[in-house]
């Protein structure tokens, strides 16, 4: 019997190599009883449909309109976001990094993809990519420029490296021209990227 596998047919497999490995690991864990498929589905559904960057945007809008909340957010991010009902797995220790005219903040996880799930939801694919993780620390200003944002030379860039214990959220500066706006309208211009540090809120994006 030959051990060769002739590739004169199409495999019924649409997974990439990494996806196939993850799927195989998941199948093995389920078969051995280490993972409950229903629990896994519930976790995925929660982060795909119930938790996302809109929660983080509400935190930013609250910080823009409520100085007392902003101060509490600076002192203890975890407790402050907890006031709004956000927290849990991946958000046990949240630090809020406030952008200022002197400093712009950028978030990365150089080791893997640690991310503040309770306030930003699932991380974008590029956040987990080796090129972003490497360039963010080597050339943060250039990394931000790759996203179409050019910062003033006078504004330094500080990079925050997430860990399994500590996750960061950037609080961007409130744009001029938003005076008198409601929190809901303010939240509509806060993007996921602006809370990672690769973007900025834009007045023209108002809902």
């Amino acid at each position: 019997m030959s051990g060769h596998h002739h590739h004169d047919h199409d495999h019924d497999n649409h997974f990439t190599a990494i996806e196939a490995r993850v799927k195989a690991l998941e199948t093995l864990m389920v078969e051995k009883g280490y993972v409950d498929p229903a629990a896994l589905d519930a976790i995925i559904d929660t982060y795909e449909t119930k938790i996302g960057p809109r929660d983080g945007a509400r935190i930013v809008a609250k910080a823009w309109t409520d100085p007392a909340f902003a101060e509490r957010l600076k002192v203890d991010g975890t407790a402050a976001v907890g006031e709004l009902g956000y927290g849990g797995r991946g958000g046990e220790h949240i630090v809020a990094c406030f952008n200022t005219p002197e400093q712009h903040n950028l978030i990365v996880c150089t080791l893997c993809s640690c991310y503040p799930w309770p306030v930003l939801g699932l991380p974008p694919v590029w956040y987990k990519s080796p090129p972003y993780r490497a360039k963010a620390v080597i050339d943060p200003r250039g990394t931000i420029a790759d996203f179409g944002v050019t910062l003033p030379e006078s504004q330094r860039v500080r990079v925050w490296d997430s860990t399994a214990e500590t996750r960061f959220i950037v609080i961007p500066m409130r744009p001029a021209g938003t005076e008198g706006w409601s929190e809901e309208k303010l939240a509509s211009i806060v993007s996921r990227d602006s809370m990672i540090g690769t973007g900025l809120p834009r007045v023209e994006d108002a809902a």
Side-chain angles (χ1 to χ4, degrees):
M1 177 178 176
S2 170
H4 295 294
H5 182 83
H6 299 290
H7 286 78
D8 56 354
H9 60 275
D10 294 329
H11 287 279
D12 183 18
N13 186 346
H14 61 280
F15 296 122
T16 65
I18 292 179
E19 289 172 341
R21 290 171 63 184
V22 171
K23 190 67 179 176
L25 180 61
E26 177 187 339
T27 301
L28 184 62
M29 298 291 279
V30 169
E31 288 178 351
K32 290 186 175 295
Y34 294 127
V35 172
D36 178 354
L40 198 59
D41 289 344
I43 292 172
I44 294 173
D45 178 66
T46 295
Y47 285 103
E48 284 188 342
T49 64
K50 299 181 176 64
I51 298 175
R54 286 301 90 199
D55 293 341
R58 294 187 187 99
I59 293 169
V60 173
K62 179 75 172 174
W64 283 348
T65 57
D66 185 341
F69 175 78
E71 193 58 34
R72 294 195 298 276
L73 191 60
K74 290 178 183 176
V75 174
D76 187 341
T78 310
V81 301
E83 293 178 20
L84 302 184
Y86 309 132
R89 188 168 180 265
E92 292 85 354
H93 188 190
I94 292 179
V95 175
C97 308
F98 284 71
N99 284 349
T100 68
E102 294 76 32
Q103 177 172 298
H104 181 93
N105 299 289
L106 178 66
I107 298 172
V108 67
C109 178
T110 55
L111 290 179
C112 48
S113 58
C114 294
Y115 193 72
W117 289 15
V119 292
L120 293 188
L122 297 173
V125 172
W126 54 261
Y127 182 84
K128 298 179 283 186
S129 69
Y132 173 77
R133 289 154 50 192
K135 188 172 181 178
V137 291
I138 296 172
D139 180 14
R141 192 176 294 274
T143 300
I144 296 168
D146 290 342
F147 286 84
V149 177
T150 302
L151 299 174
E153 286 299 324
S154 59
Q155 190 179 31
R156 65 178 176 271
V157 180
R158 179 168 180 178
V159 179
W160 300 83
D161 194 356
S162 300
T163 69
E165 289 76 29
T166 303
R167 315 291 172 96
F168 302 96
I169 177 174
V170 173
I171 309 299
M173 290 188 290
R174 180 172 177 169
T178 60
E179 296 78 9
W181 286 20
S182 66
E183 283 189 26
E184 182 179 2
K185 188 173 181 180
L186 287 169
S188 72
I189 64 172
V190 181
S191 67
R192 175 201 63 198
D193 288 6
S194 69
M195 293 181 284
I196 297 175
T198 54
L200 296 174
R202 304 189 312 165
V203 172
E204 55 267 37
D205 291 338

PDB file of all heavy atoms in Angstrom, residues 64-102:
ATOM      1  N   TRP A  64     -15.538  63.035  28.262  1.00  0.00           N
ATOM      2  CA  TRP A  64     -15.515  64.366  27.638  1.00  0.00           C
ATOM      3  C   TRP A  64     -16.509  65.324  28.294  1.00  0.00           C
ATOM      4  O   TRP A  64     -16.301  66.540  28.289  1.00  0.00           O
ATOM      5  CB  TRP A  64     -15.849  64.257  26.159  1.00  0.00           C
ATOM      6  CG  TRP A  64     -14.726  63.747  25.298  1.00  0.00           C
ATOM      7  CD1 TRP A  64     -13.416  63.589  25.651  1.00  0.00           C
ATOM      8  CD2 TRP A  64     -14.824  63.333  23.932  1.00  0.00           C
ATOM      9  NE1 TRP A  64     -12.690  63.102  24.601  1.00  0.00           N
ATOM     10  CE2 TRP A  64     -13.528  62.934  23.525  1.00  0.00           C
ATOM     11  CE3 TRP A  64     -15.874  63.246  23.015  1.00  0.00           C
ATOM     12  CZ2 TRP A  64     -13.254  62.474  22.235  1.00  0.00           C
ATOM     13  CZ3 TRP A  64     -15.610  62.781  21.736  1.00  0.00           C
ATOM     14  CH2 TRP A  64     -14.311  62.405  21.346  1.00  0.00           C
ATOM     15  N   THR A  65     -17.617  64.782  28.805  1.00  0.00           N
ATOM     16  CA  THR A  65     -18.693  65.646  29.297  1.00  0.00           C
ATOM     17  C   THR A  65     -18.785  65.698  30.816  1.00  0.00           C
ATOM     18  O   THR A  65     -19.517  66.538  31.345  1.00  0.00           O
ATOM     19  CB  THR A  65     -20.057  65.150  28.752  1.00  0.00           C
ATOM     20  OG1 THR A  65     -20.246  63.780  29.137  1.00  0.00           O
ATOM     21  CG2 THR A  65     -20.098  65.264  27.234  1.00  0.00           C
ATOM     22  N   ASP A  66     -18.087  64.819  31.495  1.00  0.00           N
ATOM     23  CA  ASP A  66     -18.179  64.734  32.956  1.00  0.00           C
ATOM     24  C   ASP A  66     -16.769  64.751  33.547  1.00  0.00           C
ATOM     25  O   ASP A  66     -16.118  63.704  33.654  1.00  0.00           O
ATOM     26  CB  ASP A  66     -18.915  63.444  33.347  1.00  0.00           C
ATOM     27  CG  ASP A  66     -19.169  63.343  34.851  1.00  0.00           C
ATOM     28  OD1 ASP A  66     -18.497  64.053  35.619  1.00  0.00           O
ATOM     29  OD2 ASP A  66     -20.041  62.538  35.237  1.00  0.00           O
ATOM     30  N   PRO A  67     -16.274  65.944  33.932  1.00  0.00           N
ATOM     31  CA  PRO A  67     -14.902  66.042  34.447  1.00  0.00           C
ATOM     32  C   PRO A  67     -14.642  65.146  35.653  1.00  0.00           C
ATOM     33  O   PRO A  67     -13.542  64.606  35.799  1.00  0.00           O
ATOM     34  CB  PRO A  67     -14.787  67.528  34.811  1.00  0.00           C
ATOM     35  CG  PRO A  67     -15.796  68.220  33.961  1.00  0.00           C
ATOM     36  CD  PRO A  67     -16.938  67.260  33.835  1.00  0.00           C
ATOM     37  N   ALA A  68     -15.646  64.985  36.520  1.00  0.00           N
ATOM     38  CA  ALA A  68     -15.461  64.140  37.701  1.00  0.00           C
ATOM     39  C   ALA A  68     -15.243  62.685  37.278  1.00  0.00           C
ATOM     40  O   ALA A  68     -14.394  61.977  37.841  1.00  0.00           O
ATOM     41  CB  ALA A  68     -16.663  64.256  38.625  1.00  0.00           C
ATOM     42  N   PHE A  69     -16.019  62.238  36.279  1.00  0.00           N
ATOM     43  CA  PHE A  69     -15.841  60.869  35.779  1.00  0.00           C
ATOM     44  C   PHE A  69     -14.468  60.722  35.131  1.00  0.00           C
ATOM     45  O   PHE A  69     -13.780  59.710  35.327  1.00  0.00           O
ATOM     46  CB  PHE A  69     -16.929  60.520  34.760  1.00  0.00           C
ATOM     47  CG  PHE A  69     -16.744  59.173  34.127  1.00  0.00           C
ATOM     48  CD1 PHE A  69     -17.088  58.015  34.813  1.00  0.00           C
ATOM     49  CD2 PHE A  69     -16.194  59.053  32.847  1.00  0.00           C
ATOM     50  CE1 PHE A  69     -16.893  56.758  34.235  1.00  0.00           C
ATOM     51  CE2 PHE A  69     -15.998  57.807  32.267  1.00  0.00           C
ATOM     52  CZ  PHE A  69     -16.350  56.657  32.961  1.00  0.00           C
ATOM     53  N   ALA A  70     -14.067  61.733  34.363  1.00  0.00           N
ATOM     54  CA  ALA A  70     -12.754  61.686  33.717  1.00  0.00           C
ATOM     55  C   ALA A  70     -11.639  61.543  34.750  1.00  0.00           C
ATOM     56  O   ALA A  70     -10.675  60.792  34.547  1.00  0.00           O
ATOM     57  CB  ALA A  70     -12.538  62.935  32.866  1.00  0.00           C
ATOM     58  N   GLU A  71     -11.782  62.248  35.856  1.00  0.00           N
ATOM     59  CA  GLU A  71     -10.762  62.161  36.906  1.00  0.00           C
ATOM     60  C   GLU A  71     -10.732  60.768  37.510  1.00  0.00           C
ATOM     61  O   GLU A  71      -9.664  60.202  37.754  1.00  0.00           O
ATOM     62  CB  GLU A  71     -11.044  63.219  37.978  1.00  0.00           C
ATOM     63  CG  GLU A  71      -9.891  63.440  38.943  1.00  0.00           C
ATOM     64  CD  GLU A  71      -8.604  63.866  38.253  1.00  0.00           C
ATOM     65  OE1 GLU A  71      -8.675  64.595  37.240  1.00  0.00           O
ATOM     66  OE2 GLU A  71      -7.528  63.443  38.717  1.00  0.00           O
ATOM     67  N   ARG A  72     -11.922  60.202  37.757  1.00  0.00           N
ATOM     68  CA  ARG A  72     -11.965  58.846  38.306  1.00  0.00           C
ATOM     69  C   ARG A  72     -11.389  57.849  37.306  1.00  0.00           C
ATOM     70  O   ARG A  72     -10.732  56.879  37.681  1.00  0.00           O
ATOM     71  CB  ARG A  72     -13.414  58.460  38.656  1.00  0.00           C
ATOM     72  CG  ARG A  72     -14.000  59.285  39.793  1.00  0.00           C
ATOM     73  CD  ARG A  72     -15.276  58.637  40.364  1.00  0.00           C
ATOM     74  NE  ARG A  72     -16.365  58.520  39.403  1.00  0.00           N
ATOM     75  CZ  ARG A  72     -17.234  59.494  39.131  1.00  0.00           C
ATOM     76  NH1 ARG A  72     -17.123  60.666  39.734  1.00  0.00           N
ATOM     77  NH2 ARG A  72     -18.203  59.298  38.248  1.00  0.00           N
ATOM     78  N   LEU A  73     -11.615  58.105  36.028  1.00  0.00           N
ATOM     79  CA  LEU A  73     -11.089  57.226  34.972  1.00  0.00           C
ATOM     80  C   LEU A  73      -9.564  57.251  34.955  1.00  0.00           C
ATOM     81  O   LEU A  73      -8.912  56.224  34.716  1.00  0.00           O
ATOM     82  CB  LEU A  73     -11.654  57.664  33.621  1.00  0.00           C
ATOM     83  CG  LEU A  73     -11.444  56.755  32.408  1.00  0.00           C
ATOM     84  CD1 LEU A  73     -12.062  55.378  32.631  1.00  0.00           C
ATOM     85  CD2 LEU A  73     -12.052  57.401  31.155  1.00  0.00           C
ATOM     86  N   LYS A  74      -8.999  58.430  35.206  1.00  0.00           N
ATOM     87  CA  LYS A  74      -7.536  58.546  35.243  1.00  0.00           C
ATOM     88  C   LYS A  74      -6.953  57.798  36.448  1.00  0.00           C
ATOM     89  O   LYS A  74      -5.907  57.159  36.343  1.00  0.00           O
ATOM     90  CB  LYS A  74      -7.132  60.021  35.334  1.00  0.00           C
ATOM     91  CG  LYS A  74      -7.387  60.825  34.083  1.00  0.00           C
ATOM     92  CD  LYS A  74      -7.004  62.295  34.303  1.00  0.00           C
ATOM     93  CE  LYS A  74      -7.314  63.136  33.077  1.00  0.00           C
ATOM     94  NZ  LYS A  74      -7.046  64.573  33.301  1.00  0.00           N
ATOM     95  N   VAL A  75      -7.652  57.878  37.561  1.00  0.00           N
ATOM     96  CA  VAL A  75      -7.140  57.295  38.808  1.00  0.00           C
ATOM     97  C   VAL A  75      -7.304  55.779  38.833  1.00  0.00           C
ATOM     98  O   VAL A  75      -6.382  55.045  39.205  1.00  0.00           O
ATOM     99  CB  VAL A  75      -7.854  57.934  40.017  1.00  0.00           C
ATOM    100  CG1 VAL A  75      -7.450  57.238  41.311  1.00  0.00           C
ATOM    101  CG2 VAL A  75      -7.543  59.423  40.092  1.00  0.00           C
ATOM    102  N   ASP A  76      -8.467  55.294  38.443  1.00  0.00           N
ATOM    103  CA  ASP A  76      -8.760  53.857  38.495  1.00  0.00           C
ATOM    104  C   ASP A  76      -9.694  53.511  37.345  1.00  0.00           C
ATOM    105  O   ASP A  76     -10.921  53.582  37.485  1.00  0.00           O
ATOM    106  CB  ASP A  76      -9.403  53.494  39.846  1.00  0.00           C
ATOM    107  CG  ASP A  76      -9.578  51.990  40.030  1.00  0.00           C
ATOM    108  OD1 ASP A  76      -9.555  51.250  39.026  1.00  0.00           O
ATOM    109  OD2 ASP A  76      -9.733  51.552  41.185  1.00  0.00           O
ATOM    110  N   GLY A  77      -9.103  53.150  36.206  1.00  0.00           N
ATOM    111  CA  GLY A  77      -9.886  52.873  35.003  1.00  0.00           C
ATOM    112  C   GLY A  77     -10.864  51.729  35.186  1.00  0.00           C
ATOM    113  O   GLY A  77     -12.003  51.795  34.713  1.00  0.00           O
ATOM    114  N   THR A  78     -10.441  50.695  35.883  1.00  0.00           N
ATOM    115  CA  THR A  78     -11.307  49.532  36.064  1.00  0.00           C
ATOM    116  C   THR A  78     -12.578  49.902  36.819  1.00  0.00           C
ATOM    117  O   THR A  78     -13.687  49.520  36.435  1.00  0.00           O
ATOM    118  CB  THR A  78     -10.558  48.428  36.833  1.00  0.00           C
ATOM    119  OG1 THR A  78      -9.284  48.214  36.223  1.00  0.00           O
ATOM    120  CG2 THR A  78     -11.340  47.127  36.827  1.00  0.00           C
ATOM    121  N   ALA A  79     -12.408  50.663  37.912  1.00  0.00           N
ATOM    122  CA  ALA A  79     -13.570  51.050  38.713  1.00  0.00           C
ATOM    123  C   ALA A  79     -14.477  52.003  37.940  1.00  0.00           C
ATOM    124  O   ALA A  79     -15.706  51.895  38.010  1.00  0.00           O
ATOM    125  CB  ALA A  79     -13.100  51.702  40.017  1.00  0.00           C
ATOM    126  N   ALA A  80     -13.871  52.930  37.187  1.00  0.00           N
ATOM    127  CA  ALA A  80     -14.681  53.915  36.454  1.00  0.00           C
ATOM    128  C   ALA A  80     -15.511  53.257  35.352  1.00  0.00           C
ATOM    129  O   ALA A  80     -16.697  53.565  35.210  1.00  0.00           O
ATOM    130  CB  ALA A  80     -13.767  54.993  35.863  1.00  0.00           C
ATOM    131  N   VAL A  81     -14.903  52.357  34.579  1.00  0.00           N
ATOM    132  CA  VAL A  81     -15.700  51.697  33.525  1.00  0.00           C
ATOM    133  C   VAL A  81     -16.731  50.776  34.155  1.00  0.00           C
ATOM    134  O   VAL A  81     -17.793  50.529  33.579  1.00  0.00           O
ATOM    135  CB  VAL A  81     -14.814  50.931  32.516  1.00  0.00           C
ATOM    136  CG1 VAL A  81     -13.830  51.865  31.845  1.00  0.00           C
ATOM    137  CG2 VAL A  81     -14.099  49.759  33.169  1.00  0.00           C
ATOM    138  N   GLY A  82     -16.429  50.282  35.364  1.00  0.00           N
ATOM    139  CA  GLY A  82     -17.398  49.465  36.083  1.00  0.00           C
ATOM    140  C   GLY A  82     -18.643  50.252  36.449  1.00  0.00           C
ATOM    141  O   GLY A  82     -19.740  49.698  36.523  1.00  0.00           O
ATOM    142  N   GLU A  83     -18.486  51.569  36.675  1.00  0.00           N
ATOM    143  CA  GLU A  83     -19.644  52.418  36.970  1.00  0.00           C
ATOM    144  C   GLU A  83     -20.658  52.384  35.822  1.00  0.00           C
ATOM    145  O   GLU A  83     -21.860  52.542  36.030  1.00  0.00           O
ATOM    146  CB  GLU A  83     -19.200  53.870  37.170  1.00  0.00           C
ATOM    147  CG  GLU A  83     -18.348  54.120  38.401  1.00  0.00           C
ATOM    148  CD  GLU A  83     -17.913  55.575  38.478  1.00  0.00           C
ATOM    149  OE1 GLU A  83     -18.561  56.423  37.834  1.00  0.00           O
ATOM    150  OE2 GLU A  83     -16.903  55.860  39.149  1.00  0.00           O
ATOM    151  N   LEU A  84     -20.147  52.197  34.609  1.00  0.00           N
ATOM    152  CA  LEU A  84     -21.035  52.182  33.436  1.00  0.00           C
ATOM    153  C   LEU A  84     -21.476  50.763  33.088  1.00  0.00           C
ATOM    154  O   LEU A  84     -22.124  50.548  32.060  1.00  0.00           O
ATOM    155  CB  LEU A  84     -20.321  52.823  32.240  1.00  0.00           C
ATOM    156  CG  LEU A  84     -19.849  54.271  32.443  1.00  0.00           C
ATOM    157  CD1 LEU A  84     -19.237  54.825  31.162  1.00  0.00           C
ATOM    158  CD2 LEU A  84     -20.989  55.164  32.919  1.00  0.00           C
ATOM    159  N   GLY A  85     -21.086  49.814  33.919  1.00  0.00           N
ATOM    160  CA  GLY A  85     -21.543  48.437  33.712  1.00  0.00           C
ATOM    161  C   GLY A  85     -20.616  47.579  32.880  1.00  0.00           C
ATOM    162  O   GLY A  85     -21.013  46.484  32.464  1.00  0.00           O
ATOM    163  N   TYR A  86     -19.393  48.056  32.636  1.00  0.00           N
ATOM    164  CA  TYR A  86     -18.468  47.286  31.811  1.00  0.00           C
ATOM    165  C   TYR A  86     -17.381  46.663  32.678  1.00  0.00           C
ATOM    166  O   TYR A  86     -16.850  47.296  33.592  1.00  0.00           O
ATOM    167  CB  TYR A  86     -17.819  48.172  30.747  1.00  0.00           C
ATOM    168  CG  TYR A  86     -18.814  48.967  29.934  1.00  0.00           C
ATOM    169  CD1 TYR A  86     -18.639  50.333  29.722  1.00  0.00           C
ATOM    170  CD2 TYR A  86     -19.942  48.356  29.390  1.00  0.00           C
ATOM    171  CE1 TYR A  86     -19.554  51.068  28.984  1.00  0.00           C
ATOM    172  CE2 TYR A  86     -20.864  49.088  28.651  1.00  0.00           C
ATOM    173  CZ  TYR A  86     -20.661  50.435  28.447  1.00  0.00           C
ATOM    174  OH  TYR A  86     -21.572  51.156  27.721  1.00  0.00           O
ATOM    175  N   GLY A  87     -17.002  45.470  32.346  1.00  0.00           N
ATOM    176  CA  GLY A  87     -15.946  44.785  33.089  1.00  0.00           C
ATOM    177  C   GLY A  87     -16.019  43.302  32.811  1.00  0.00           C
ATOM    178  O   GLY A  87     -16.781  42.837  31.962  1.00  0.00           O
ATOM    179  N   GLY A  88     -15.202  42.555  33.524  1.00  0.00           N
ATOM    180  CA  GLY A  88     -15.209  41.108  33.332  1.00  0.00           C
ATOM    181  C   GLY A  88     -13.935  40.613  32.712  1.00  0.00           C
ATOM    182  O   GLY A  88     -12.897  41.281  32.750  1.00  0.00           O
ATOM    183  N   ARG A  89     -14.019  39.445  32.090  1.00  0.00           N
ATOM    184  CA  ARG A  89     -12.848  38.764  31.544  1.00  0.00           C
ATOM    185  C   ARG A  89     -12.129  39.652  30.517  1.00  0.00           C
ATOM    186  O   ARG A  89     -12.751  40.168  29.589  1.00  0.00           O
ATOM    187  CB  ARG A  89     -13.282  37.459  30.873  1.00  0.00           C
ATOM    188  CG  ARG A  89     -12.165  36.561  30.429  1.00  0.00           C
ATOM    189  CD  ARG A  89     -12.723  35.200  30.071  1.00  0.00           C
ATOM    190  NE  ARG A  89     -11.660  34.306  29.632  1.00  0.00           N
ATOM    191  CZ  ARG A  89     -11.349  34.143  28.348  1.00  0.00           C
ATOM    192  NH1 ARG A  89     -12.039  34.776  27.434  1.00  0.00           N
ATOM    193  NH2 ARG A  89     -10.374  33.335  28.002  1.00  0.00           N
ATOM    194  N   GLY A  90     -10.839  39.842  30.729  1.00  0.00           N
ATOM    195  CA  GLY A  90     -10.057  40.679  29.830  1.00  0.00           C
ATOM    196  C   GLY A  90     -10.089  42.146  30.238  1.00  0.00           C
ATOM    197  O   GLY A  90      -9.456  42.978  29.583  1.00  0.00           O
ATOM    198  N   GLY A  91     -10.846  42.446  31.293  1.00  0.00           N
ATOM    199  CA  GLY A  91     -10.933  43.834  31.740  1.00  0.00           C
ATOM    200  C   GLY A  91     -10.725  43.948  33.233  1.00  0.00           C
ATOM    201  O   GLY A  91     -11.211  44.882  33.873  1.00  0.00           O
ATOM    202  N   GLU A  92      -9.982  42.991  33.785  1.00  0.00           N
ATOM    203  CA  GLU A  92      -9.760  42.989  35.230  1.00  0.00           C
ATOM    204  C   GLU A  92      -8.944  44.196  35.675  1.00  0.00           C
ATOM    205  O   GLU A  92      -9.048  44.651  36.809  1.00  0.00           O
ATOM    206  CB  GLU A  92      -9.038  41.702  35.644  1.00  0.00           C
ATOM    207  CG  GLU A  92      -9.868  40.434  35.487  1.00  0.00           C
ATOM    208  CD  GLU A  92      -9.787  39.862  34.075  1.00  0.00           C
ATOM    209  OE1 GLU A  92      -9.184  40.513  33.190  1.00  0.00           O
ATOM    210  OE2 GLU A  92     -10.330  38.761  33.862  1.00  0.00           O
ATOM    211  N   HIS A  93      -8.086  44.713  34.785  1.00  0.00           N
ATOM    212  CA  HIS A  93      -7.277  45.894  35.126  1.00  0.00           C
ATOM    213  C   HIS A  93      -7.156  46.754  33.871  1.00  0.00           C
ATOM    214  O   HIS A  93      -6.313  46.506  33.008  1.00  0.00           O
ATOM    215  CB  HIS A  93      -5.888  45.473  35.627  1.00  0.00           C
ATOM    216  CG  HIS A  93      -5.097  46.631  36.168  1.00  0.00           C
ATOM    217  ND1 HIS A  93      -3.772  46.543  36.493  1.00  0.00           N
ATOM    218  CD2 HIS A  93      -5.460  47.913  36.437  1.00  0.00           C
ATOM    219  CE1 HIS A  93      -3.340  47.713  36.926  1.00  0.00           C
ATOM    220  NE2 HIS A  93      -4.339  48.557  36.901  1.00  0.00           N
ATOM    221  N   ILE A  94      -8.004  47.771  33.778  1.00  0.00           N
ATOM    222  CA  ILE A  94      -8.025  48.656  32.611  1.00  0.00           C
ATOM    223  C   ILE A  94      -7.393  49.995  32.979  1.00  0.00           C
ATOM    224  O   ILE A  94      -7.734  50.593  34.004  1.00  0.00           O
ATOM    225  CB  ILE A  94      -9.463  48.866  32.098  1.00  0.00           C
ATOM    226  CG1 ILE A  94     -10.001  47.544  31.518  1.00  0.00           C
ATOM    227  CG2 ILE A  94      -9.521  49.967  31.053  1.00  0.00           C
ATOM    228  CD1 ILE A  94     -11.418  47.628  31.000  1.00  0.00           C
ATOM    229  N   VAL A  95      -6.490  50.451  32.142  1.00  0.00           N
ATOM    230  CA  VAL A  95      -5.844  51.751  32.322  1.00  0.00           C
ATOM    231  C   VAL A  95      -6.260  52.660  31.160  1.00  0.00           C
ATOM    232  O   VAL A  95      -6.138  52.264  29.990  1.00  0.00           O
ATOM    233  CB  VAL A  95      -4.312  51.613  32.360  1.00  0.00           C
ATOM    234  CG1 VAL A  95      -3.650  52.989  32.419  1.00  0.00           C
ATOM    235  CG2 VAL A  95      -3.885  50.776  33.573  1.00  0.00           C
ATOM    236  N   ALA A  96      -6.757  53.848  31.488  1.00  0.00           N
ATOM    237  CA  ALA A  96      -7.157  54.815  30.462  1.00  0.00           C
ATOM    238  C   ALA A  96      -6.003  55.780  30.201  1.00  0.00           C
ATOM    239  O   ALA A  96      -5.471  56.396  31.134  1.00  0.00           O
ATOM    240  CB  ALA A  96      -8.395  55.583  30.924  1.00  0.00           C
ATOM    241  N   CYS A  97      -5.615  55.890  28.945  1.00  0.00           N
ATOM    242  CA  CYS A  97      -4.490  56.759  28.548  1.00  0.00           C
ATOM    243  C   CYS A  97      -5.071  57.973  27.827  1.00  0.00           C
ATOM    244  O   CYS A  97      -5.594  57.842  26.707  1.00  0.00           O
ATOM    245  CB  CYS A  97      -3.536  55.994  27.638  1.00  0.00           C
ATOM    246  SG  CYS A  97      -2.977  54.411  28.302  1.00  0.00           S
ATOM    247  N   PHE A  98      -4.986  59.121  28.443  1.00  0.00           N
ATOM    248  CA  PHE A  98      -5.585  60.342  27.892  1.00  0.00           C
ATOM    249  C   PHE A  98      -4.618  61.030  26.925  1.00  0.00           C
ATOM    250  O   PHE A  98      -3.485  61.377  27.297  1.00  0.00           O
ATOM    251  CB  PHE A  98      -5.942  61.297  29.031  1.00  0.00           C
ATOM    252  CG  PHE A  98      -7.186  60.902  29.786  1.00  0.00           C
ATOM    253  CD1 PHE A  98      -7.208  59.788  30.628  1.00  0.00           C
ATOM    254  CD2 PHE A  98      -8.355  61.644  29.657  1.00  0.00           C
ATOM    255  CE1 PHE A  98      -8.354  59.429  31.322  1.00  0.00           C
ATOM    256  CE2 PHE A  98      -9.513  61.299  30.352  1.00  0.00           C
ATOM    257  CZ  PHE A  98      -9.509  60.187  31.186  1.00  0.00           C
ATOM    258  N   ASN A  99      -5.078  61.232  25.694  1.00  0.00           N
ATOM    259  CA  ASN A  99      -4.284  62.028  24.753  1.00  0.00           C
ATOM    260  C   ASN A  99      -4.300  63.494  25.188  1.00  0.00           C
ATOM    261  O   ASN A  99      -5.312  63.991  25.700  1.00  0.00           O
ATOM    262  CB  ASN A  99      -4.856  61.927  23.338  1.00  0.00           C
ATOM    263  CG  ASN A  99      -4.536  60.602  22.669  1.00  0.00           C
ATOM    264  OD1 ASN A  99      -3.721  59.825  23.167  1.00  0.00           O
ATOM    265  ND2 ASN A  99      -5.172  60.349  21.541  1.00  0.00           N
ATOM    266  N   THR A 100      -3.202  64.179  24.966  1.00  0.00           N
ATOM    267  CA  THR A 100      -3.089  65.609  25.258  1.00  0.00           C
ATOM    268  C   THR A 100      -2.374  66.269  24.071  1.00  0.00           C
ATOM    269  O   THR A 100      -1.818  65.565  23.207  1.00  0.00           O
ATOM    270  CB  THR A 100      -2.270  65.854  26.537  1.00  0.00           C
ATOM    271  OG1 THR A 100      -0.901  65.483  26.291  1.00  0.00           O
ATOM    272  CG2 THR A 100      -2.824  65.056  27.704  1.00  0.00           C
ATOM    273  N   PRO A 101      -2.334  67.588  24.028  1.00  0.00           N
ATOM    274  CA  PRO A 101      -1.577  68.246  22.951  1.00  0.00           C
ATOM    275  C   PRO A 101      -0.095  67.865  22.980  1.00  0.00           C
ATOM    276  O   PRO A 101       0.587  67.945  21.960  1.00  0.00           O
ATOM    277  CB  PRO A 101      -1.777  69.733  23.250  1.00  0.00           C
ATOM    278  CG  PRO A 101      -3.083  69.806  23.965  1.00  0.00           C
ATOM    279  CD  PRO A 101      -3.114  68.572  24.823  1.00  0.00           C
ATOM    280  N   GLU A 102       0.380  67.451  24.146  1.00  0.00           N
ATOM    281  CA  GLU A 102       1.798  67.087  24.272  1.00  0.00           C
ATOM    282  C   GLU A 102       2.058  65.606  24.006  1.00  0.00           C
ATOM    283  O   GLU A 102       3.176  65.234  23.642  1.00  0.00           O
ATOM    284  CB  GLU A 102       2.316  67.426  25.684  1.00  0.00           C
ATOM    285  CG  GLU A 102       2.351  68.901  26.009  1.00  0.00           C
ATOM    286  CD  GLU A 102       0.967  69.473  26.309  1.00  0.00           C
ATOM    287  OE1 GLU A 102       0.125  68.727  26.841  1.00  0.00           O
ATOM    288  OE2 GLU A 102       0.732  70.650  25.991  1.00  0.00           O
TER     289      GLU A 102
END
